[in-house]
Amino acid sequence: MRIKTGSYGGFTIVELMIVVAVIGWLLAVAIPTFVKSRDTSQLGVVYNNLRAIEPAKDQWALDNHKGTGDVTDLPTLSDYLKNGKIKQVVNEVYESNRIGSAAYATTNVRLGTYAPTDPISIP
């Protein structure tokens, strides 16, 4: 004969609170790491886009007999860029600058150590 003790086969409130605390701690550790890795990869794409603009400027200058200080812009360089354009990742704006000057980008969000509206150039 079996005696019922009145307990049910479930989790206690303390066990549930421990599980919730562990999940919260894991999220607190994981979310900042995810955000940092996303910012790092977006900044890497901006750097690569800037690296694509520089040789396009050089090739355009050679083909059009232009020299240091001549003005150019992205629509002019479209024939020298892959697929004719630069793919944006965070709605950044690219400035190709004059021939001989480095191109830069600006964005309205913080990327890495760059504050919003700071010019981002190739390191």
Side-chain angles (χ1 to χ4, degrees):
M1 192 188 239
R2 211 169 207 187
I3 300 174
K4 289 190 175 185
T5 60
S7 65
Y8 299 99
F11 297 107
T12 66
I13 190 76
V14 173
E15 291 169 332
L16 291 174
M17 288 173 53
I18 290 171
V19 168
V20 168
V22 167
I23 291 172
W25 179 79
L26 288 172
L27 287 174
V29 169
I31 289 175
T33 303
F34 170 74
V35 169
K36 183 179 178 186
S37 66
R38 184 189 62 193
D39 287 349
T40 302
S41 66
Q42 288 173 339
L43 186 57
V45 170
V46 172
Y47 285 154
N48 287 334
N49 287 343
L50 289 170
R51 286 185 190 110
I53 291 172
E54 290 304 318
K57 284 171 39 179
D58 293 340
Q59 189 62 45
W60 175 83
L62 286 171
D63 288 352
N64 293 286
H65 307 290
K66 301 292 182 177
T68 302
D70 286 325
V71 179
T72 186
D73 56 11
L74 287 180
T76 304
L77 300 175
S78 65
D79 291 339
Y80 303 94
L81 295 169
K82 184 177 182 181
N83 297 326
K85 60 185 174 184
I86 295 290
K87 185 175 180 186
Q88 297 178 331
V89 288
V90 287
N91 294 323
E92 65 274 14
V93 176
Y94 291 94
E95 292 294 330
S96 63
N97 273 344
R98 296 176 179 269
I99 302 299
S101 300
Y104 68 91
T106 55
T107 182
N108 58 358
V109 296
R110 181 176 192 78
L111 283 180
T113 59
Y114 296 100
T117 70
D118 278 356
I120 301 170
S121 57
I122 300 172

